[in-house]
Amino acid sequence: MQMNCAHLENCLHEAREEARTNKCSPDRRAVEYDALRSSALRIHGLFERLNNCITAPGVTGFAESLHSLAASLASYVKKDEADTTVQFQQCIKILADKVYLLTR
């Protein structure tokens, strides 16, 4: 009887561990999904802002709009931001500088 109780306690402990692991997995996936969704929305917003620059009327409007976007991205992008967001910001800055030189 004692051996049977110890075995049952061990089985119960294993079942609890498995249940905890299985519960953590969906929670972790939900957090990962939320992070990916947030990142996708942020990138979508950045491309929407770039699209607004591109559709600005005239070359001067485009250059000014692009320069304004580059300036706002400098304060928008945080140091702990994903590499792709930082690369996007740097790319827009370089593009804005080159377009500005071309319009002069």
Side-chain angles (χ1 to χ4, degrees), residues 48-58 61-62 65:
E48 186 66 32
R49 291 176 65 190
L50 177 60
N51 184 48
N52 289 339
C53 292
I54 293 169
T55 58
F62 170 64
S65 182

Side-chain angles (χ1 to χ4, degrees), residues 10-57:
N10 189 33
C11 288
L12 180 60
H13 177 71
E14 288 176 8
R16 283 183 179 148
E17 284 297 312
E18 186 176 335
R20 187 175 57 82
T21 300
N22 288 337
K23 182 181 181 292
C24 290
S25 180
D27 291 344
R28 186 179 62 245
R29 299 231 177 181
V31 168
E32 291 170 356
Y33 171 80
D34 287 343
L36 285 173
R37 185 175 188 284
S38 175
S39 177
L41 289 173
R42 184 173 47 252
I43 293 295
H44 182 275
L46 292 173
F47 277 106
E48 186 66 32
R49 291 176 65 190
L50 177 60
N51 184 48
N52 289 339
C53 292
I54 293 169
T55 58

Side-chain angles (χ1 to χ4, degrees), residues 61-95:
F62 170 64
E64 290 174 4
S65 182
L66 196 58
H67 180 71
S68 175
L69 174 62
S72 72
L73 286 178
S75 62
Y76 172 80
V77 175
K78 298 170 188 73
K79 290 180 183 177
D80 62 340
E81 202 72 55
D83 286 344
T84 53
T85 307
V86 172
Q87 289 173 339
F88 182 83
Q89 184 263 337
Q90 291 170 342
C91 180
I92 295 299
K93 169 86 171 90
I94 292 167
L95 181 62

Side-chain angles (χ1 to χ4, degrees), residues 58-64 95-104:
V59 176
T60 306
F62 170 64
E64 290 174 4
L95 181 62
D97 290 344
K98 288 184 178 186
V99 168
Y100 177 76
L101 290 173
L102 288 172
T103 58
R104 298 200 119 239

